[in-house]
Amino acid sequence: MAQITINNKQIDVPDGTTVLRAAEMAGIHIPRLCEHKELTPYGGCRLCIVEVQGVRVPMASCTLPVNNGMVINTETEAIKKSRKFILSMLFSERNHFCPFCQVSGGDCELQNAAYAEEMTHWPIQPGWNDFPVDTSHPYFVLDNNRCILCRRCVRACSEMAGNFTLSVAERGAKSMIVADTDIPLGESTCIKCGSCVQVCPTGALIDRTSAYQGHDEQMTEVKSVCAGCSVGCSIKIMVRDNRIVRIEGDWDGPVNHGALCEHGRYDAVTESRKRITSPMVKKNGKLEPVSWDEALNTVKEKLQALNGDKHGVAGLASTRLPAETLAAFNDLFKGKFQSDLVTSIEEGVPTAAVAKYAEGHENFEGKIDALRTADAVMCIGANLQTSHMVAGFQFKRNLTKGTRLINIDPEESGLDDLANIVIKPKAGTDLALIRGLQAIIAKEGLERSSLKIKDADKIIKNAVAETDISLEKLTQAARLLANAISPVILYGKGVTAQRDAQIVEALHQLAVQIGAEDSERNGLLSLKGESNSQTATLLGLDQPFSLNGHKVTYLAIGDDYVSKSLVERAVKSAYLVVQASYESKLTENADVLLPVTLWAEQEGHYINLDGRIRKAEKAITAPENVRDNLDVLTDLAKRMNLSLDTDWQKAIRGRKSSVALN
Ligand SMILES: Nc1nc2c(c(=O)[nH]1)N[C@H]1C(S)=C(S)[C@@H](COP(=O)(O)OP(=O)(O)OC[C@H]3O[C@@H](n4cnc5c(=O)[nH]c(N)nc54)[C@H](O)[C@@H]3O)O[C@H]1N2
Ligand SMILES: Nc1nc2c(c(=O)[nH]1)N[C@H]1C(S)=C(S)[C@@H](COP(=O)(O)OP(=O)(O)OC[C@H]3O[C@@H](n4cnc5c(=O)[nH]c(N)nc54)[C@H](O)[C@@H]3O)O[C@H]1N2
Ligand code: SF4
Ligand code: SF4
Ligand code: SF4
Ligand SMILES: [Mo]
């Protein structure tokens, strides 16, 4: 600990704390522009200068570590004067003609900093040089004329997204933010996560969809959870006039720490599917708008006519629906109707094998956080460049700092370019491969915990033969893993789609063997697909969807996308009830269509891939005549004199979880 004095206030702070952070702990705000709590301090804008007793020149507090006995002043006349001068310089370097800027009037940190110093004009004549404006990106515009070269965007791109697209070209006053080797952003390696836009303190990075749609103070901020995938990033939904204007990453999010991927940030604001706005019933081969009463009574009669036949109704629900809805759905069709086919849109592909193994090994999986400190990551059957991207960010950002990556995927994958070792085994040979790695580690004497493997040579030979990967390459991978201090094993659909709990067991054994799992941390993680896959699996909604003479099919699709293969299977059904938000090939074929809320129009709980149970909030109100997903199910049940079990917390505990729930 170090004892310091800031503005006559004494405070003890841990060694290594920066003066800026120490001041914050003491409740003292130091103005800053380039500094950001999720980014490495850079000391570029100099706005955070303070006076340190015994030091002649003002010091940038964001990069200055505390010293025991340090005496600091942040508000002396000299400091205030310097701050104004620094701001004047920043304003004069480029074009900051605020009236033309979309962030002017409340959302610009540069402008706000000037107002805080009671500045009303720029004492220095502004420069008139023209800098390039890059409009090639689908989601944002980069206007270098408004850039203050704080490099937050550059750091966000590398430290948050792990993408290293942005950098600074040229020097001094000519410096410019560029993508890759100074190519248009729209043609660059940018993965469109928008992190750079979120951190830009000025109007240099302009969000195309939300620009000029209102200032932050005119919007309601709803903290929620992204329903885009099983990572479960924390978000802030910015709403104005019942419209989602923008989605931002929540800096307090326990999984994402502010980062989002393209889907989480932009899908909701660029949605182009057509909403269903009225209940419909097929009459003479044509869907006709009807009242809710008529639609639900039609379904009720159809269901009651089944007379308890186990092949009567088949149910399928989206894994994007909240836990409350999934539990009610499960209780209605499995509990009350005793149907033999009640499942989810994912059919347990990402989760069933994991859940099966969990029956004997509850909570064997770890937390996403392990990725942030991993020095080696083995990625098997998961493409983090296209799916679960924010999970990928957590280690991609460290690949330039020594973290090593092994990518195991029979197909070309975006991760190959980033990996230290690329293994392309024959598809479906993962079990042999993992056992081979185990045997090599044992044979080389590198085990942290012995698996007591017999016949190692035979297993290794088999691995080489089955996978078609050389012994040298397998040995390289085995050594890298076994020698790591904090390894993580990540596996996805490429593995889980094989529906083989033995592969999960082998991966778990490997994790134990290399010390990825100990009392301190657990570096074994499966990617679970959609936002509520884990909930669906805990409810037992994870069998293949294969209709077998069922008379009625009830599809609670919500706002999910519908795959071709699902449509092909569903349209064969004798009678189709579709509960959905958007029109699709599936709704075209419905006999009854029930229009329902989408994720932001309803509230409810989600369990992400590492077992966090969190509530997504209602941010906007659904159009008239569109009803809540859960409401529709409860109303339907009520019409049949059934009362649904709403205790979802209890229902999900009917099965052992692969990951601790909290
Ligand atoms: N941005 C975005 N994110 C998503 C989704 C999305 O649509 N968009 N979808 C979500 C959903 S529903 C899911 S299920 C997940 C899927 O996310 P992941 O679990 O990461 O699955 P995939 O992206 O399909 O990647 C699987 C990889 O496994 C490889 N593979 C195929 N066969 C084998 C094999 O036999 N062995 C091995 N080792 N690998 C194999 C494939 O080539 C592919 O690269 O992503 C979720 N996240
Ligand atoms: N045999 C087998 N069955 C499976 C699976 C499997 O791997 N093998 N996977 C299971 C899983 S995990 C899932 S999630 C399901 C569905 O998994 P898939 O069958 O892989 O479905 P997708 O093709 O990803 O998505 C469905 C449709 O939605 C569209 N779509 C997806 N994302 C977007 C988007 O962001 N914008 C727009 N405009 N369109 C989008 C796609 O173009 C596609 O036509 O199938 C499940 N069933
Ligand atoms: S959107 Fe993401 S990947 Fe693209 S430049 Fe910005 S931070 Fe980098
Ligand atoms: S574009 Fe924005 S975030 Fe990037 S350096 Fe310029 S002002 Fe800073
Ligand atoms: S990684 Fe998944 S949860 Fe996170 S923002 Fe992207 S889609 Fe949403
Ligand atoms: Mo999925």
Side-chain angles (χ1 to χ4, degrees), residues 319 346 350 493 528-530 533:
T319 37
E346 298 198 272
K493 201 159 127 173
K528 295 187 175 66
E530 295 218 76
S533 296

Side-chain angles (χ1 to χ4, degrees), residues 265-446:
R265 199 182 297 273
Y266 299 114
D267 277 3
V269 285
T270 56
E271 180 62 67
S272 61
R273 289 176 289 174
K274 207 163 164 244
R275 266 325 263 280
I276 305 162
T277 51
S278 168
M280 312 253 233
V281 171
K282 194 170 266 176
K283 292 177 179 173
N284 304 319
K286 204 169 156 272
L287 279 170
E288 307 240 349
V290 295
S291 67
W292 270 100
D293 244 352
E294 183 178 340
L296 287 175
N297 285 338
T298 309
V299 181
K300 167 190 138 176
E301 277 154 30
K302 205 75 199 173
L303 288 175
Q304 280 180 332
L306 299 173
N307 281 325
D309 178 1
K310 284 214 310 202
H311 276 329
V313 58
L316 180 141
S318 161
T319 37
R320 265 175 73 96
L321 291 170
E324 290 82 346
T325 306
L326 289 175
F329 178 86
N330 192 47
D331 186 45
L332 178 58
F333 295 111
K334 206 186 282 169
K336 305 293 191 288
F337 277 90
Q338 300 277 306
S339 167
D340 63 352
L341 182 55
V342 186
T343 186
S344 78
I345 201 166
E346 298 198 272
E347 308 172 77
V349 172
T351 50
V354 187
K356 177 133 207 317
Y357 180 68
E359 282 165 16
H361 298 83
E362 198 173 3
N363 303 342
F364 73 96
E365 293 188 299
K367 296 281 171 196
I368 280 184
D369 262 356
L371 281 170
R372 291 167 76 82
T373 51
D375 63 344
V377 177
M378 173 174 122
C379 199
I380 178 163
N383 189 350
L384 292 144
Q385 287 293 73
T386 53
S387 320
H388 299 109
M389 287 193 260
V390 173
F393 293 178
Q394 314 290 326
F395 68 85
K396 275 170 60 191
R397 54 174 79 134
N398 293 330
L399 292 176
T400 52
K401 296 184 203 150
T403 295
R404 281 151 310 158
L405 175 65
I406 302 169
N407 192 39
I408 307 176
D409 193 320
E411 307 289 330
E412 291 294 312
S413 147
L415 284 182
D416 293 344
D417 293 340
L418 307 173
N420 302 74
I421 300 178
V422 176
I423 297 181
K424 302 226 153 289
K426 276 193 231 156
T429 61
D430 300 270
L431 187 59
L433 182 125
I434 300 157
R435 291 206 169 134
L437 292 174
Q438 292 174 353
I440 296 169
I441 292 168
K443 210 178 150 200
E444 300 234 324
L446 297 172

Side-chain angles (χ1 to χ4, degrees), residues 137 139-140 152-158 160-167 177-179 185 188-199 205 260-262 265-266 393 396:
H137 198 282
Y139 297 126
F140 51 83
R152 276 195 195 174
C153 55
V154 177
R155 285 174 287 156
C157 192
S158 56
M160 285 171 68
N163 216 57
F164 307 92
T165 300
L166 299 178
S167 62
I177 301 300
V178 297
L185 260 166
S188 73
T189 53
C190 167
I191 48 156
K192 309 185 183 82
C193 72
S195 301
C196 52
V197 185
Q198 181 166 323
V199 297
L205 281 161
L260 293 181
C261 77
E262 176 186 358
R265 199 182 297 273
Y266 299 114
F393 293 178
K396 275 170 60 191

Side-chain angles (χ1 to χ4, degrees), residues 37-50:
K37 76 174 172 113
E38 280 299 320
L39 306 174
T40 310
Y42 161 63
C45 75
R46 317 303 291 178
L47 193 63
C48 68
I49 46 162
V50 295

